Amino acid sequence: MARMTWLVNRLRCMSVAEVGYRVQQAAVTRLGKRIDAGAPPPLPRALTLRLQGAPALDAAERAALLDDAERILAGHVLLFADRRFDVGAPPAWNRDPDSGVTAPAVFAGDLQVTDRDKVGDIKHIWELNRHLHLVRLAQAWALTGEERWARALAAQLRSWLDQCPPSTGPNWTSSLELGIRLINWSLAWQLCGGEAGPLFAGEEGERLRADWLASIHAHCRSIARHLSRHSSANNHLIGELAGLYVASSTWPCWRASHGWREQARRELETQAQAQFARDGVNREQAFAYHVFSSEFLFVAGLLGQASGEPFSRNYWGVLQRALRFLRSVMDVGGHVPMVGDADDGAVFRLDATGASRAAQLLALGDAVFGGGSHAHPGARWLLHALPGPRPDADAHETETGWAFPDGGYLLFGANFGTAREIKGMLDCGPLGYLGIAAHGHADALALTLSVAGEECLVDPGTYSYWQAQKWRDYFRGTAAHNTVRIDGLDQSVSGGRFMWLKKAGAAIERMPQSPHDFDFRGSHDGYQRLADPVRHVRSVRFDGASHTLVVRDEVAARRPHEVELFWHFAPELNVRLTSTGLSARGKGFTLQMQAVGADLKLELVRAAEHPPLGWISRSYEAKEPCDVLRITTVSSAVPVECRFTINFI
């Protein structure tokens, strides 16, 4: 019944053209089960960039990288942001390393990857099989020249090719995963010396090369047949195209390679423009996927530079604007608000420090566009693996901004970039991208705030895609964001874990003139669907001289409704209720809040589970308690006004 409900909801989000495409894809999958054959013999040519050694690393960077490589040899691999799993040596590639469930080695089109009893958590399997850790072994070889690292890499590849033949098992069920794997295979290929490297020495090496190339051909063929289209054409399509472009450029070994490369290149140019707003915001309204998609575009672009087939100035302009937005929303402490979905997915992992991927991306942009000093080790490694001239780009792109109305974000505050920084962000954009808005959250008119580089009012993040439904619903729901909920209902109507059926639309009614003298008014229509329609209007004023933030929420309806207003505080803060409101204290600031309205009830909630409230997730599959102020009243018109006063210690 749950599966049937999901199918009905999914059909409701599809156009007639998409239904036809899905039927065609199902036929292609079934046909592939019968007619897929091995790869044709490769032509004797591949792209080998003839790299020399490794980039300059300090002693600590070198030691951390080699320590991680040693752990991989022992079967302990870092997955997601910071969780290390025992995957085996060599790994059991079709096993979920968390639950221990091994997916059956059947035709990939017959697998239901959401069946946890038979497959486990598919996210864990896919994460291991992206092969980010294989690049670490190639880095260790490039650093030391020790053959044991090349042998370890060859052994891992050999075991994967044996356990995961084309079209068989869970690792052939997602074109995006195939694309990421191809990118990391390309990086490992270059860092290990390409065709002349130690991987392919001797008879065993020749067999490894032949089998690897056959699998690469099957990857490319599968991606080209199963590109994400229509309402699924989000970061998945960018990742699939990037993988297809990188593979067909690195290994232009078959007659189809030229066509794959040109198609991928052409569509990447188009998707870069389509999936990023004119002001640089990724249209999925999920900041982690903003970084993720940018990583794909960078890898493809850099390989184009290295191979003498550069992408256009417009393509690089998209990346410049994307970095400008990311740099703008990051506070002086390096924090980026956790807007929308996040699963810690990375296209590549080239540093061993666990540093912020947003910081790595900005460092990469500084090096590529500004000729910077490659301060981040991950950026240094990527530019070493994919060397080439600087792209044709606008050298005068503004470093930061505060107004991103096309993407739907406005910044307010004072002293940006200094130790006394106050930086707030208001979300006044769409729910997400395309028909299902898969990675957006029901967060219209929510805001975040950091002070002196410390997070204060936070977006609690994502936690998990596949844990119990209540957790998925909570973290993407309205109650998990600093905004208003009516009658206990989310602003938008969910149709599944990655689907919204009815989407709240936000509108800017009064545009501020500056971040330090900020005066905003906006509304959304998410509760117009109720039998007694409700209109939520939020006004936000920030005065930079007095460090005062005033948020006024109005609801307009014919009859009274339950109104809840939520404020989520970072776990590191000391938060307590006062007689008139709330007090929060950080390392370098204090914040006082007063709430004014009719019959208000103020309640501080922490770590509630039934229903969930008072949680934050800073990495995938991890959550911790945080304090949430819930303000409730019953009203049809009386506004609620919250006044925040910030003082530095």
Side-chain angles (χ1 to χ4, degrees), residues 356-584:
S356 159
R357 282 174 49 231
Q360 174 181 263
L361 190 64
L362 292 174
L364 181 61
D366 289 342
V368 170
F369 298 125
S373 59
H374 306 186
H376 194 287
R380 261 178 282 151
W381 272 106
L382 187 62
L383 293 172
H384 173 78
L386 301 174
R390 288 176 58 190
D392 180 22
D394 184 1
H396 304 290
E397 183 70 45
T398 304
E399 284 294 307
T400 57
W402 68 273
F404 302 89
D406 188 33
Y409 300 94
L410 302 174
L411 302 180
F412 60 86
N415 306 313
F416 289 174
T418 73
R420 293 173 65 86
E421 176 187 81
I422 299 172
K423 180 171 282 189
M425 187 188 74
L426 176 66
D427 183 341
C428 52
L431 174 66
Y433 188 52
L434 300 176
I436 57 175
H439 292 301
H441 287 185
D443 56 1
L445 303 182
L447 60 83
T448 60
L449 177 70
S450 73
V451 182
E454 297 179 62
E455 293 178 299
C456 181
L457 297 173
V458 296
D459 185 311
T462 300
Y463 177 45
S464 175
Y465 291 159
W466 298 109
Q467 290 288 345
Q469 186 72 46
K470 73 172 185 177
W471 292 110
R472 178 64 173 150
D473 291 344
Y474 166 65
F475 275 95
R476 70 201 290 252
T478 301
H481 299 89
N482 298 318
T483 189
V484 167
R485 184 171 71 169
I486 303 296
D487 293 343
L489 300 172
D490 289 334
Q491 299 163 339
S492 297
V493 179
S494 174
R497 290 176 183 263
F498 299 96
M499 185 182 355
W500 294 99
L501 297 179
K502 294 184 179 179
K503 308 171 187 67
I508 299 174
E509 300 179 3
R510 184 173 61 239
M511 182 71 182
Q513 298 303 305
S514 73
H516 53 272
D517 188 13
F518 189 88
D519 189 3
F520 166 89
R521 178 181 172 90
S523 63
H524 74 83
D525 62 4
Y527 294 115
Q528 293 290 306
R529 71 182 192 270
L530 302 184
D532 177 35
V534 178
R535 183 169 179 259
H536 174 211
V537 179
R538 170 165 277 190
S539 300
V540 179
R541 300 194 306 276
F542 178 78
D543 178 53
S546 63
H547 296 170
T548 301
L549 170 67
V550 179
V551 181
R552 179 184 176 91
D553 290 295
E554 306 168 56
V555 295
R558 293 190 303 272
R559 297 191 298 272
H561 291 264
E562 181 188 30
V563 178
E564 297 171 282
L565 172 58
F566 301 93
W567 296 113
H568 297 74
F569 291 87
E572 295 78 13
L573 303 184
N574 182 1
V575 182
R576 60 183 180 86
L577 288 176
T578 67
S579 58
T580 58
L582 175 142
S583 172

Side-chain angles (χ1 to χ4, degrees), residues 212-278:
W212 195 12
L213 287 173
S215 185
I216 289 165
H217 179 272
H219 277 68
C220 292
R221 181 180 58 195
S222 180
I223 292 173
R225 288 178 178 175
H226 302 290
L227 289 166
S228 296
R229 299 294 192 194
H230 300 283
S231 60
S232 297
N234 52 15
N235 70 84
H236 281 235
L237 181 55
I238 286 182
E240 291 156 9
L241 293 169
L244 186 60
Y245 175 79
V246 166
S248 55
S249 297
T250 304
W251 301 285
C253 301
W254 302 276
R255 290 185 179 88
S257 297
H258 177 77
W260 290 334
R261 183 173 67 249
E262 291 309 304
Q263 177 190 1
R265 176 191 179 83
R266 181 176 64 253
E267 291 201 46
L268 276 172
E269 292 268 7
T270 301
Q271 290 302 316
Q273 300 285 340
Q275 295 198 34
F276 285 81
R278 293 186 302 272

Side-chain angles (χ1 to χ4, degrees), residues 118-136:
K118 292 183 179 178
V119 177
D121 189 329
I122 190 63
K123 280 289 297 176
H124 291 83
I125 297 177
W126 282 345
E127 188 72 18
L128 171 64
N129 287 273
R130 289 177 172 184
H131 287 182
L132 280 69
H133 71 285
L134 296 196
V135 181
R136 177 73 77 239

Side-chain angles (χ1 to χ4, degrees), residues 97-118:
D98 193 30
S99 68
V101 174
T102 298
V106 299
F107 176 63
D110 291 338
L111 265 179
Q112 182 59 255
V113 296
T114 57
D115 187 339
R116 295 174 70 92
D117 291 334
K118 292 183 179 178

